[in-house]
Amino acid sequence: MVEDFTLVTLRGEHRVVAPMRKLAARGSLPGAYGYDLSAHAMRMARARGVSLEVLLPAAMPASWMVNNRAPSPVFRWWLDPSQREAWVTLSGLLEGGPEQWLSLGELQRKSAQECVLALAIQGHGLCALSKVLACLVCESVPLMDDAMLSLCGLAVDEPATADDPRAEVSLFAPVMDWFARSVLTHEETLIALAREYVLAPLDTTQVLDRLLWIESWGWRLAYASEHGRFVRVRDERHRSAVLCDASCAPATTLGPDALSDAERALLSWK
């Protein structure tokens, strides 16, 4: 069994407890499952020489499976020849994984940020773009929902809904930086999780991204059944989401004193 690990965020430590159980919870959701297989198909097609530009139209509707709020008229505008250059430039800069992103020079990072800014229209910015890119360039890009940005400390307010993302596009590079460094820090653990996960082929970047969704928002939804539910727990230094029995109220934030001895031991809280 793969061990738990601790993410260092700008808000303090976040303990990822029982990561394989959380990956399985997310993978049980139909949209998440289909999205993971779509991303893998993109990866296989690119390995066979299919260009990012050719694959771009397929990545857009695939993003609806992870609740992209961008409607088809936005996709139509993004696919216009006048906008495709920005997509091709941006996705090309994002190829290669976390180490490649962190190695980019100042001019390349500026170009990526300018492309993101140019493609953000009608209120569909960072979150919507990331859900296309995370399918198209899955080795590098996470899903940049507002809740994830709040967890890592790059957005101040935790959102009350997942349906109205408002994060500024200026956060694109800082999110990529934090995420890339986190992937590399926990690379061995993420590799072990990817090998153990059986529902879809995932790489290290995707494993961390899927866990971040559970930790930041998905804990409210996954496994909310007679088998138990995830609740969020925290004290002055730590945060996490743990699986409790079905008696726990949904969308609850608990202090560690509300947990059983076994649950506190799982978190390694002193």
Side-chain angles (χ1 to χ4, degrees):
M1 181 65 67
V2 179
E3 295 181 356
D4 309 337
F5 62 97
T6 299
L7 291 169
V8 177
T9 79
L10 298 179
R11 290 190 170 186
E13 295 180 348
H14 189 102
R15 186 73 172 164
V16 180
V17 178
M20 187 52 63
R21 178 174 282 183
K22 289 173 177 173
L23 288 174
R26 180 194 168 278
S28 70
L29 302 173
Y33 176 69
Y35 184 80
D36 290 348
L37 293 179
S38 295
H40 181 59
M42 294 283 179
R43 177 167 41 217
M44 293 176 64
R46 288 167 54 206
R48 287 163 171 75
V50 182
S51 71
L52 290 163
E53 184 174 8
V54 168
L55 294 171
L56 177 62
M60 291 184 184
S63 71
W64 281 334
M65 288 191 284
V66 285
N67 301 319
N68 194 349
R69 309 305 297 176
S72 55
V74 171
F75 292 168
R76 174 63 184 86
W77 185 82
W78 280 343
L79 291 171
D80 189 85
S82 63
Q83 308 306 319
R84 284 200 182 210
E85 182 177 352
W87 277 107
V88 171
T89 299
L90 177 58
S91 54
L93 288 168
L94 294 170
E95 283 190 288
E99 289 181 328
Q100 178 63 26
W101 167 259
L102 293 174
S103 73
L104 293 182
E106 183 177 347
L107 289 179
Q108 292 169 308
R109 290 167 60 89
K110 182 179 179 182
S111 176
Q113 189 68 62
E114 287 174 347
C115 289
V116 171
L117 180 61
L119 292 168
I121 63 163
Q122 299 178 16
H124 300 288
L126 189 65
C127 182
L129 291 166
S130 75
K131 292 185 177 186
V132 176
L133 290 167
C135 186
L136 188 64
V137 196
C138 58
E139 74 272 21
S140 302
V141 183
L143 302 174
M144 300 182 188
D145 295 280
D146 285 5
M148 182 274 222
L149 271 62
S150 178
L151 182 148
C152 69
L154 290 167
V156 175
D157 297 325
E158 185 175 62
T161 176
D163 295 333
D164 186 25
R166 299 190 177 189
E168 298 291 334
V169 293
S170 61
L171 291 173
F172 179 78
V175 174
M176 287 292 297
D177 288 344
W178 176 84
F179 182 73
R181 293 188 183 107
S182 297
V183 171
L184 295 176
T185 296
H186 300 285
E187 188 171 30
E188 289 187 8
T189 297
L190 299 173
I191 289 172
L193 287 166
R195 287 173 175 166
E196 191 175 325
Y197 187 69
V198 298
L199 293 179
L202 299 177
D203 62 21
T204 55
T205 303
Q206 292 173 297
V207 169
L208 182 57
D209 172 67
R210 278 45 170 173
L211 289 170
L212 285 170
W213 180 76
I214 288 284
E215 300 293 336
S216 63
W217 187 263
W219 61 273
R220 303 165 185 260
L221 309 175
Y223 279 5
S225 71
E226 68 275 9
H227 304 296
R229 66 177 72 250
F230 287 110
V231 296
R232 186 165 53 182
V233 295
R234 66 185 179 190
D235 65 7
E236 292 80 7
R237 292 182 53 244
H238 307 82
R239 291 174 294 157
S240 188
V242 297
L243 186 65
C244 293
D245 64 39
S247 64
C248 290
T252 300
T253 299
L254 303 172
D257 290 342
L259 301 176
S260 68
D261 290 342
E263 288 161 345
R264 282 197 297 275
L266 193 66
L267 288 166
S268 299
W269 284 357
K270 306 298 183 183

